[in-house]
Amino acid sequence: MRRAARPWRITVTVEGLNIERFVRQAGEGGIRLTRMRRAGARKLTAQLPEEQLPAMQDIALRGGWKLTLTGRNGLGRAAEWVRARWLLSLAVLAAGVALVAASQVVWAVKVENAGAYEVDIRAALEEMSVTAPMLRRRLDLGALRDALEWRYPRIAWFECGWRGTTLVIRPEEGVLPLQPHSQNGACDVVAQRDGIVKAVVTRAGTPVVKPGDFVRAGEVLIKGEERTSEGTVRAVAARGSVTARVWTGASVQMPTVAYETAYTGNEEAVWTLRTPWFDLWKLDACSYAQYDTAVSETLLCSAFLPIRLRVERRMEAQITPRTMDMASVKAQAYEAAVRKLQQKVGPEESLIDIWGNCSMIDTENIVSVAIGEMLVEIGRQAPASGMAAPGGDQAGAEPR
């Protein structure tokens, strides 16, 4: 059986008399010598394909020249290195295969800049079976983006992409378009929130509320209709200002019992190696009845298979309840309720009155409620409802 030709070249050294005759015979025999160098009157080094080495040896044997194989070049040298270190080469090959295989797996799913939507988006991803670890080829980023945009209409668009082996989801919130008016341009002014009307200023349309009326969110304040001099009703875009007294509240719950922690000085430390989906071994249960835990994690490997060293330091503690001063607790609870109330107020709104109350809900907790009154503009334009405007003197005398 003929041996397959090897694609690498070797370097040989020829020693003896009349080196020029050796070179001529090699050329006549079809041997392709390259990079020939004379190292003296009786010594020559050259390169040739390895499959032509037997023919070269026959010429040297017949002519009495000494032929020495100096070494292989290029791929031949690499083949010798692999043959001499086959166990290390096998380990490198296995690591490369494992690295390529790991790069085809999603090891983490990250949701960025989602704000209040983050928890719900993570739940939606779990419903869609987008959880780590999973194969990347099972995930269609375009279909995932379309599904998320359909599920969250208030999000302008979603960015879905890769960061190494991490799937990154980044929602971008947009501004909802204004609700369109009717085809003839008519619209009403409706209430954005509940309140008691303080003043009505009509610039276009017919008012249907008067000062002192209680209105609920969504109720029509100024109708998008006007009566003409001929007695007919025409549709218009209602415009005007409706100011109302509105109220908002905030509540805070505070404990009346404080628990003080004192450490006994007894400690124990446990550790494990953690991967993205399991721990190499479980930590032992703590022997203390009450304890605090200090956790530290150190990243040991972060290529495609992150491994962390997790160390838990458990400190035995004794917890003692202490009843706090009731007057101080009530004052702190009321201040916290007022701060929470002020945070709920819009940037263009201001409180004109605040009052509050504190009450016990059980033996260990107190609730403080703060109520604030504001004078704000509650009207906004909305599509016309289609109701006719009141006729005659009733439009101003009895609007409701």
Side-chain angles (χ1 to χ4, degrees):
M1 182 180 294
R2 186 176 180 181
R3 192 172 183 179
R6 296 177 179 176
W8 49 75
R9 303 180 68 82
I10 59 175
T11 301
V12 295
T13 301
V14 181
E15 297 178 75
L17 298 173
N18 201 353
I19 295 295
E20 290 79 5
R21 185 164 62 89
F22 173 83
V23 174
R24 188 186 75 251
Q25 293 182 9
E28 293 172 351
I31 299 176
R32 302 187 299 274
L33 295 176
T34 58
R35 298 192 179 184
M36 292 185 293
R37 291 183 177 85
R38 294 292 295 264
R42 300 182 179 184
K43 189 173 183 180
L44 172 73
T45 61
Q47 292 185 7
L48 71 155
E50 187 171 356
E51 64 268 18
Q52 294 182 344
L53 179 62
M56 189 82 160
Q57 290 174 336
D58 289 342
I59 294 175
L61 184 62
R62 291 195 305 267
W65 290 286
K66 180 181 178 182
L67 181 65
T68 306
L69 177 63
T70 305
R72 291 180 172 87
N73 304 311
L75 293 177
R77 183 177 300 176
E80 283 188 345
W81 188 93
V82 171
R83 191 181 300 113
R85 301 167 178 82
W86 66 270
L87 187 59
L88 176 61
S89 302
L90 185 62
V92 171
L93 179 62
V97 172
L99 190 64
V100 173
S103 67
Q104 304 303 312
V105 177
V106 181
W107 294 109
V109 178
K110 188 175 183 181
V111 180
E112 295 182 346
N113 303 328
Y117 289 95
E118 180 172 354
V119 175
D120 193 69
I121 290 176
R122 291 189 180 277
L125 292 175
E126 292 182 2
E127 292 178 7
M128 300 175 191
S129 300
V130 182
T131 56
M134 66 179 296
L135 293 177
R136 294 178 63 160
R137 59 183 175 83
R138 293 179 51 194
L139 188 60
D140 185 345
L141 293 183
L144 175 63
R145 181 184 63 250
D146 294 341
L148 290 173
E149 290 179 353
W150 179 87
R151 184 183 179 107
Y152 300 97
R154 291 181 176 271
I155 300 296
W157 68 85
F158 278 86
E159 293 182 10
C160 302
W162 301 106
R163 187 179 297 160
T165 58
T166 300
L167 172 63
V168 180
I169 308 294
R170 183 183 298 108
E172 295 292 340
E173 294 190 49
V175 179
L176 290 176
L178 295 176
Q179 206 168 13
H181 298 159
S182 60
Q183 293 181 355
N184 58 6
C187 64
D188 298 332
V189 175
V190 300
Q192 299 184 81
R193 58 203 298 181
D194 299 349
I196 297 178
V197 177
K198 180 71 173 177
V200 180
V201 178
T202 304
R203 296 181 178 87
T206 304
V208 293
V209 296
K210 64 181 185 299
D213 289 344
F214 175 75
V215 295
R216 292 193 175 276
E219 190 172 339
V220 177
L221 305 177
I222 302 176
K223 187 65 183 167
E225 294 177 348
E226 288 182 349
R227 190 168 295 279
T228 66
S229 58
E230 290 82 8
T232 60
V233 176
R234 66 183 179 91
V236 298
R239 294 182 296 110
S241 173
V242 180
T243 307
R245 298 168 58 197
V246 298
W247 292 266
T248 185
S251 62
V252 172
Q253 179 177 328
M254 278 192 136
T256 60
V257 177
Y259 292 89
E260 298 179 347
T261 301
Y263 296 104
T264 63
N266 298 327
E267 294 185 4
E268 64 178 28
V270 292
W271 63 280
T272 186
L273 295 178
R274 169 164 292 187
T275 66
W277 61 93
F278 65 87
D279 294 346
L280 295 185
W281 60 83
K282 293 185 178 180
L283 299 178
D284 297 332
C286 186
S287 59
Y288 304 140
Q290 295 176 335
Y291 62 94
D292 283 345
T293 303
V295 179
S296 64
E297 288 192 356
T298 303
L299 187 62
L300 301 180
C301 176
S302 61
F304 290 94
L305 184 62
I307 299 178
R308 291 179 170 85
L309 171 65
R310 179 183 177 91
V311 179
E312 290 188 5
R313 188 165 60 94
R314 299 163 178 174
M315 300 162 285
E316 186 180 21
Q318 292 182 346
I319 301 176
T320 305
R322 177 179 62 83
T323 302
M324 296 186 292
D325 179 63
M326 187 60 64
S328 175
V329 174
K330 287 184 177 181
Q332 294 179 20
Y334 177 73
E335 292 177 0
V338 171
R339 285 196 302 268
K340 187 175 180 180
L341 175 64
Q342 292 172 340
Q343 292 174 357
K344 295 177 64 176
V345 176
E348 298 181 359
E349 300 173 347
S350 60
L351 297 169
I352 60 176
D353 194 10
I354 300 176
W355 64 93
N357 184 33
C358 294
S359 60
M360 295 285 294
I361 58 174
D362 52 42
T363 57
E364 293 187 357
N365 292 281
I366 189 173
V367 172
S368 177
V369 179
I371 305 296
E373 180 182 347
M374 298 179 292
L375 192 63
V376 298
E377 166 64 44
I378 64 170
R380 67 175 177 86
Q381 287 186 326
S385 60
M387 295 176 55
D393 298 335
Q394 293 180 355
E398 191 63 33
R400 301 192 68 195

